[in-house]
Amino acid sequence: MKEQFDNLLDYLKTLEIRGCITGSSMLGYMEGQKQDIDVFCYDEKSFTELYFELYHNKMFTILDKLEKWKSDMFRKKNEFGNKHHTGVQTIKFTYNTCIELNIILKKNCSNAFSVLASFDLDLICKAYCLQSKQYLDLSGDSSITKIASWNKWNPNFQSTEVWAVNRILRQLERCFKYHKRGYNTDDVVLKYIELIDGLQEYQSIFSSENFNEKLKISQENTLIVKQICELWLSSHEITEEQIALLQIKIKEI
């Protein structure tokens, strides 16, 4: 499997597009772990170029039914790329039937730094730029010490804006995943709790019913998220039921 993983990385590094390889793949192959590779593209032109490069390559297939549907939507230019669909969009390919490859359109990013600055864990803040063929590493020594911290380059961690915690919480589950891979992510979970506490203390000064209702839902849901985080910190274990509840409450925000 490691040979297939390395072959895919080597192939991707030959491509010339506005994008970068990042995520856990930059930490090296992890024996016994389900590991994929992420390629972030900065605009739809680059995403389209990469998509068709893979789509017409016999080494790549799309196995998941949802991913096939997203692929069809994008190829036919139906809903996937319309003007109302912004932010992060993904399609998952499988290389040689064994290594998953996520191609990601991240419209609000223009370079490798802006991609890394959106992550929560400093541990994974490593990227290979497909244009410059250079590496960018903002992870410090976390991959050596195996002690992760919150990403100081991510503005959402230091923002006083009330909805900042909602934007970053979608990445929380990664803390539990990397703990299972042998990394200490306690500091990041504690930072999430700190952000949630700030949201809990926020008192609205606006008369907007829509704003106040949204705030109420966010405060109620993040309180449950905080409780799950505290339980995890005490035992470093999390059940499938807790993960499912976490996903529901974060999605509702």
Side-chain angles (χ1 to χ4, degrees), residues 165 169 172 191-201 219 222-223 225-226 229:
V165 63
L169 268 176
L172 170 60
K191 185 64 176 179
Y192 273 116
I193 290 175
E194 179 186 321
L195 292 177
I196 290 172
D197 285 341
L199 178 61
Q200 295 298 319
E201 295 169 3
Q219 289 177 327
T222 53
L223 185 59
V225 172
K226 177 185 175 180
C229 287

Side-chain angles (χ1 to χ4, degrees), residues 3-223:
E3 182 181 359
Q4 300 299 324
F5 182 85
D6 291 341
N7 288 343
L8 176 53
L9 271 181
D10 289 343
Y11 163 74
L12 293 171
K13 289 176 182 179
T14 66
L15 302 178
E16 299 279 350
I17 61 168
R18 292 190 67 245
C20 64
I21 307 168
T22 187
S24 65
S25 61
M26 292 291 97
L27 298 175
Y29 180 74
M30 300 177 185
E31 191 69 47
Q33 300 282 348
K34 182 181 179 182
Q35 194 173 10
D36 53 16
I37 296 176
D38 297 332
V39 177
F40 284 84
C41 300
Y42 313 136
D43 53 54
E44 193 160 337
K45 179 179 180 295
S46 301
F47 185 89
T48 302
E49 183 180 347
L50 178 57
Y51 170 83
F52 282 107
E53 168 76 22
L54 304 176
Y55 184 78
H56 294 296
N57 188 323
K58 65 181 181 180
M59 293 297 292
F60 294 89
T61 53
I62 300 178
L63 302 177
D64 184 85
K65 289 183 179 179
L66 175 60
E67 299 302 325
K68 286 181 179 180
W69 177 83
K70 290 195 294 183
S71 173
D72 290 341
M73 290 298 101
F74 177 73
R75 194 172 61 259
K76 297 172 183 177
K77 297 297 181 185
N78 195 340
E79 295 296 326
F80 183 87
N82 71 33
K83 64 181 180 180
H84 302 295
H85 195 157
T86 59
V88 177
Q89 302 165 22
T90 69
I91 296 177
K92 186 190 299 290
F93 286 83
T94 302
Y95 172 75
N96 203 18
T97 72
C98 60
I99 304 294
E100 292 182 346
L101 169 64
N102 303 301
I103 64 171
I104 304 158
L105 172 59
K106 198 168 176 67
K107 293 181 178 179
N108 59 345
C109 291
S110 58
N111 51 46
F113 176 82
S114 56
V115 172
L116 298 185
S118 69
F119 293 164
D120 62 343
L121 293 177
D122 65 349
L123 175 68
I124 58 171
C125 288
K126 298 181 178 185
Y128 179 83
C129 175
L130 294 171
Q131 281 186 302
S132 68
K133 307 304 180 186
Q134 298 287 315
Y135 287 95
L136 177 63
D137 188 346
L138 306 178
S139 66
D141 62 355
S142 58
S143 60
I144 299 172
T145 63
K146 292 202 168 186
I147 300 175
S149 183
W150 55 278
N151 181 11
K152 308 303 188 293
W153 299 101
N154 189 325
N156 287 319
F157 276 123
Q158 305 185 58
S159 174
T160 57
E161 200 267 312
V162 65
W163 307 123
V165 63
N166 296 355
R167 290 192 290 269
I168 193 70
L169 268 176
R170 298 182 184 95
Q171 302 185 55
L172 170 60
E173 198 175 330
R174 184 185 287 134
C175 293
F176 311 135
K177 180 175 72 174
Y178 275 84
H179 178 268
K180 290 180 179 179
R181 291 177 172 177
Y183 296 94
N184 184 326
T185 58
D186 288 12
D187 183 60
V188 190
V189 176
L190 287 169
K191 185 64 176 179
Y192 273 116
I193 290 175
E194 179 186 321
L195 292 177
I196 290 172
D197 285 341
L199 178 61
Q200 295 298 319
E201 295 169 3
Y202 184 86
Q203 295 183 356
S204 175
I205 59 174
F206 303 104
S207 59
S208 168
E209 290 185 9
N210 183 53
F211 179 92
N212 291 331
E213 181 61 25
K214 184 178 179 182
L215 177 63
K216 180 182 177 182
I217 293 172
S218 293
Q219 289 177 327
E220 289 175 349
N221 285 15
T222 53
L223 185 59

